[in-house]
Amino acid sequence: MDEQTETAYAGPASKSAEVANNVRAFDVVVVGAGPAGSAAALEVARAGYSVALVERGPFPGSKNVYGGVVYGRILDELVPQWWEEIPVQRWVTRRATMIMTPTQALTVDLRTQDWGRPPYNGATAHRADLDAWLAELAVAAGAVLVTSTVATGLLRGPGGSVAGVRTDRPDGDLTASVVIACDGVNSFLAKEAGMYPAEHAAEHVTLGVKETIALPREVIDERFGLSGKDGADIEILGCTRGIPGGGFLYTNLESVSVGVVLGLTGLAASKVRPEELIADLKQHPAIAPLVCGGTLLEYSAHLIPEGGYRSMPDLVGDGILVAGDAAAMCLAAGIWLEGVNFALGAGMYAGRAAAAALKSGDTSKSGLSGYRTMLEDSFVLADHRKLRKVPGLVLSHRVQTRYPGLICDLVQGLFTVDNPAPKPGLRRLLRRSARAHEVRMRDLVRDALVGMRSFG
């Protein structure tokens, strides 16, 4: 967050914290002022109910070093003409998927100016800026923002229903008819409520690690073929030494971010440090010309819930809803790695469901069940359900360790002119590449069918 934004935002945050010291009973308490939490608080406040938005940091976004690609169309329902207000770095008009080996890189590269005008498609943004803007919308609608406060546990009402949260402030309990847990990966509130299964484990979580590298804006534009506020996003497979995961490179206004996303269990077993993999990536012949000469601004890491539909907790309980990363709603499905849009959607529907339950006077699990219905009827769960098999396929051993070399060798064979020998047929090249990388044709066909059925 820049100095101007932080100064402008300190006022509402301080005022709201002061109010919260005197008022501790709310209709709804939302824990976590990320995209999901702010969207939920915004909807509750707009419906006319009192809502506290509890954030552990000194301001929304202060604890979040993540920046990345944000897909904003869900904001159509929350903020009219949102693209005129949202704090973004660049609008993504170039989207590429790169498959690499240590010496090769094959890229499918789409450029379109359709994404460079309203209502836009995706943008790169700093979460410190984005989270502050979203929280400010909720405060403007009437939400009470309580900063520098950790929700340490749940309060219970009659029959064990959730009735608010305990905090680390003296006499800081906040009572509410509904608690919306948006407290991130490994949500302590959802776990305390018994909404995660006992076997919920590390294989459903990845570690995202990145470097942000400063480069002059004109250098970025020249290297990536951009102009104005156009931006590029490149997603990469085959850059993690066989550790389940992938890589990325995207442009900000005056910096680029390069990094990897790694399965926790695979990373632990490999004994490789994430910064080694980023160093490999920056030295790759396809990436080095894009980042050379830059100055390191930031090295950061964060956990990502990538298990998808099959790893989600119960989303509704007596007096409690779970949304965003706390509900494992990041979509990691090969060519798609999306999180903020799913968090915004889930938070928005959670806020609407809470308001509807308050209006009906029933905040039990049954009274809040409209949340699940809204999610099922929207892209949030529809996409996750449709693509539920893809995370397992993308992170499988064959896709991670054998397919990148197979694909690159196949295409290299197609483009190799080896006169006086005649050009080999595609089937011959495929069989040759499959043998070289120890891929059985029946496994290749089976994986292709899983992919086609999921994406079809």
Side-chain angles (χ1 to χ4, degrees):
M1 179 182 295
D2 59 38
E3 183 177 351
Q4 181 179 359
T5 304
E6 185 173 352
T7 301
Y9 199 70
S14 301
K15 179 181 177 182
S16 298
E18 182 180 329
V19 171
N21 284 329
N22 300 314
V23 180
R24 299 188 181 92
F26 296 88
D27 295 315
V28 178
V29 169
V30 180
V31 179
S38 290
L42 176 61
E43 285 292 291
V44 173
R46 283 177 173 173
Y49 295 100
S50 62
V51 53
L53 179 58
V54 180
E55 167 57 37
R56 63 176 180 164
F59 57 86
S62 62
K63 296 293 185 181
N64 200 324
V65 294
Y66 163 85
V69 179
V70 176
Y71 299 94
R73 288 303 306 276
I74 185 61
L75 289 170
D76 291 354
E77 294 190 47
L78 285 167
V79 187
Q81 306 292 109
W82 55 268
W83 52 85
E84 297 178 357
E85 303 177 31
I86 187 171
V88 302
Q89 291 286 299
R90 291 178 182 257
W91 301 105
V92 174
T93 56
R94 179 186 175 193
R95 174 65 167 82
T97 297
M98 180 182 291
I99 300 172
M100 67 167 51
T101 71
T103 60
Q104 301 162 298
L106 171 67
T107 305
V108 178
D109 193 342
L110 173 69
R111 294 170 182 261
T112 173
Q113 288 309 123
D114 290 342
W115 293 347
R117 52 179 175 261
Y120 299 100
N121 179 60
T124 57
H126 296 318
R127 277 286 300 274
D129 299 334
L130 180 68
D131 288 12
W133 174 69
L134 290 167
E136 191 170 33
L137 293 175
V139 170
V144 174
L145 178 61
V146 186
T147 57
S148 301
T149 301
V150 177
T152 59
L154 296 170
L155 300 175
R156 298 287 185 170
S161 62
V162 173
V165 297
R166 294 187 177 88
T167 77
D168 61 351
R169 291 186 174 204
D171 300 320
D173 290 356
L174 301 175
T175 63
S177 298
V178 181
V179 169
I180 303 178
C182 304
D183 50 335
V185 185
N186 294 323
S187 168
F188 293 111
L189 296 183
K191 288 179 178 178
E192 184 179 333
M195 303 176 84
Y196 267 105
E199 67 273 13
H200 182 70
E203 65 260 24
H204 299 310
V205 180
T206 61
L207 177 68
V209 185
K210 74 166 185 179
E211 291 184 3
T212 299
I213 301 168
L215 286 168
R217 182 171 182 172
E218 60 272 16
V219 171
I220 295 172
D221 289 348
E222 181 180 357
R223 290 180 180 180
F224 289 86
L226 305 172
S227 62
K229 290 197 73 173
D230 289 354
D233 170 30
I234 304 173
E235 306 294 333
I236 306 166
L237 177 67
C239 60
T240 56
R241 300 189 193 175
I243 300 169
F248 58 86
L249 172 65
Y250 60 83
T251 58
N252 304 304
L253 269 179
E254 296 182 327
S255 66
V256 297
S257 292
V258 59
V260 290
V261 178
L262 307 163
L264 285 184
T265 52
L267 177 62
S270 72
K271 309 299 182 183
V272 175
R273 294 187 62 83
E275 57 265 32
E276 297 176 46
L277 301 175
I278 296 180
D280 287 350
L281 188 55
K282 291 193 300 180
Q283 293 167 9
H284 192 280
I287 303 298
L290 301 176
V291 300
C292 67
T295 303
L296 180 64
L297 293 176
E298 176 187 71
Y299 178 87
S300 57
H302 68 285
L303 294 177
I304 306 171
E306 288 199 8
Y309 190 78
R310 292 172 170 173
S311 70
M312 289 182 182
D314 293 334
L315 302 175
V316 184
D318 288 325
I320 186 169
L321 302 172
V322 188
D325 279 0
M329 288 180 175
C330 179
L331 180 70
I335 61 174
W336 295 299
L337 179 56
E338 303 173 21
V340 172
N341 50 333
F342 284 87
L344 285 168
M348 179 179 72
Y349 295 127
R352 291 178 182 178
L358 289 166
K359 184 176 182 180
S360 70
D362 181 6
T363 57
S364 68
K365 183 174 183 178
S366 175
L368 290 167
S369 62
Y371 174 51
R372 178 85 193 198
T373 302
M374 292 180 206
L375 293 176
E376 294 280 4
D377 291 342
S378 75
F379 75 98
V380 178
L381 285 188
D383 284 351
H384 271 287
R385 185 173 58 251
K386 179 179 180 180
L387 299 169
R388 62 189 179 277
K389 295 182 180 180
V390 177
L393 173 63
V394 171
L395 297 176
S396 68
H397 180 72
R398 283 192 299 276
V399 171
Q400 290 289 320
T401 64
R402 298 180 180 178
Y403 286 175
L406 183 155
I407 294 168
C408 287
D409 283 352
L410 173 63
V411 175
Q412 181 173 314
L414 282 173
F415 292 152
T416 297
V417 179
D418 199 18
N419 301 143
K423 296 185 186 300
L426 179 60
R427 283 182 294 179
R428 179 182 171 188
L429 286 172
L430 179 58
R431 291 193 183 98
R432 186 173 71 189
S433 296
R435 284 196 302 270
H437 295 279
E438 300 180 347
V439 175
R440 296 180 296 184
M441 294 303 294
R442 63 175 177 269
D443 291 333
L444 183 61
V445 171
R446 182 175 60 188
D447 291 342
L449 287 174
V450 170
M452 287 190 293
R453 288 168 181 165
S454 297
F455 294 111

